[in-house]
Each structure stands twice: as C-alpha cells, then as structure tokens.
Amino acid sequence: MSKVDAKRRCPWCLGSDLYRRYHDEEWGVPVHDDRRLFELLILEGAQAGLSWSTILNKRETYRRAFARFDPRKVARFSARDAKRLLADPGIVRNRLKIASTISNARAFLAVQREFGSFDAYLWAFVDGRPLQNHPKSMKEVPARTILSDALSKDLKRRRFRFVGSTIMYAFMQAVGMVNDHITTCYRRAQLAQPRTASSAKLRGR
C-alpha cells in the first residue's frame, strides 16, 4: 500500500478511485468561483434519486452538454436544446431536471445581478467562513440543517428548482460552506486552516 493510500479518509469515498479523488481534491474545499458554484448546484440537483458516483461518472459529459456550465449560455438554451439533451445518453435524461437546469441558470443570473455574484449571495449564509463540524463518524453527519432549510427556502423563492434542503446540505458540503470530514480523516484538519485554496484552481475547469 502506498503512503497516499494509507491516509485515513471518510469511509464514503473508499469505493472507487473516482470517489477518492473527489474526496481528496474537492469535497469540502471552499468554492468562490461562480461557474464552479453553478456546476455543483446543477450536479447536486441532478443527483436527486441517484448515487453521487453516477453523477461523477457523467460529469465530463455534463460539462460538454451544458456549455461548460456557463450560466449565461445555459440560460439561452431553447426548446431545441432541451430536446437534444433528452437524447443525450451521457447525462441523466430526466425532462424536469433538464428544464430546471435551464431555468436555474436564469435564476442564477438574477442573483448575480442583485448581489454582484452568486458567491456573495451564497457565502453570506455562513458569514463568509466555513462552518467547522467535528463528526466522529458519518452517522453524526446530518442530512439537512436549519441553515440548509433557510437556503433551500430562499432559493425556491427565487424560482430555483431541485433545491430541497437535503440537496442543499449536500451542496453546502461540496462547496466547503461546511467541513464535514470526520475527525479521523486527514482532510478535516487541512480544511480547518484559516486559508484554504479555492477549488477553482483544481483541474477540470
């Protein structure tokens, strides 16, 4: 076993190399780039009723299908684009999820106009700093919180769809608004440092 493989990680990521890379490089790293935030918002919504591994495996196809998650371009998608996407086997071919991605892009742009950036809007929910939790096991990690309830409610008011509280808590974990790495995971302490590199710098942009 290599030195890297010997590191202790959150148990949910041990099923595949793809999961481990996502856990090590992205999960819980604060994201402040609007395009990355839009991508993860859409992917978390696409996951509803499915496994996260399914979405990770389709991620590159999603990027190609949805204009590299440029919200301005997605907001201009037409009925013809929606029909094209329904025929794309590389994404989740769910009519409601595809339609919501387009309408969410338009809602996303409205938030940017109001707040200057989606980043500014989103991170205000945690006063600009990640919440540092200390779960000893995954059983102590909640599926939703009062904060995710509030975020979900406000996004729905702004006409976002597929943004239920459970989906939003997963999103908050993904973009680093909360650090839910378990206490024995090597990434927990790293992400608890005052300064953490934005995942916008990670590969895949």
Side-chain angles (χ1 to χ4, degrees), residues 48 54 129 140 148 190:
T54 297
R129 296 178 62 86
E140 295 182 10
S148 68
Q190 292 178 349

Side-chain angles (χ1 to χ4, degrees), residues 107-121:
F108 192 93
L109 295 180
V111 170
Q112 287 182 322
R113 288 193 293 270
E114 182 176 349
F115 293 88
S117 68
F118 191 81
D119 171 61
Y121 161 78

Side-chain angles (χ1 to χ4, degrees), residues 28-49:
V29 178
V31 178
H32 295 287
D33 176 83
D34 269 16
R35 188 180 294 195
R36 294 276 294 173
L37 290 171
F38 180 64
E39 174 179 347
L40 289 166
L41 181 70
I42 296 307
L43 293 180
E44 290 291 351
Q47 183 200 359

Side-chain angles (χ1 to χ4, degrees), residues 77-91:
F77 277 16
S78 64
R80 179 178 294 180
D81 290 306
K83 185 177 181 180
R84 166 182 58 81
L85 292 166
L86 277 171
D88 189 339
I91 67 170

Side-chain angles (χ1 to χ4, degrees), residues 15 34 36 47 69 72 82-83 116 125 134 136 145 169 198:
D34 269 16
R36 294 276 294 173
Q47 183 200 359
F69 288 105
R72 291 178 180 82
K83 185 177 181 180
F125 281 85
H134 299 83
K136 295 180 180 179
T145 64
Y169 193 69
S198 169

Side-chain angles (χ1 to χ4, degrees), residues 2-3 7 66 77 81 111 138 148-149 160 189:
S2 70
K3 184 177 180 180
K7 291 178 179 178
F66 289 100
F77 277 16
D81 290 306
V111 170
M138 295 310 298
S148 68
D149 288 347
F160 284 82

Side-chain angles (χ1 to χ4, degrees), residues 8 10 23 27-28 132-135 179-196:
R8 300 190 69 177
C10 298
H23 169 274
W27 196 68
Q132 300 296 329
N133 296 330
H134 299 83
N179 180 359
D180 270 343
H181 287 274
I182 63 174
T183 54
T184 56
C185 176
Y186 85 99
R187 286 295 278 154
R188 207 216 79 78
Q190 292 178 349
L191 293 172
Q193 298 302 314
R195 293 183 179 181
T196 305

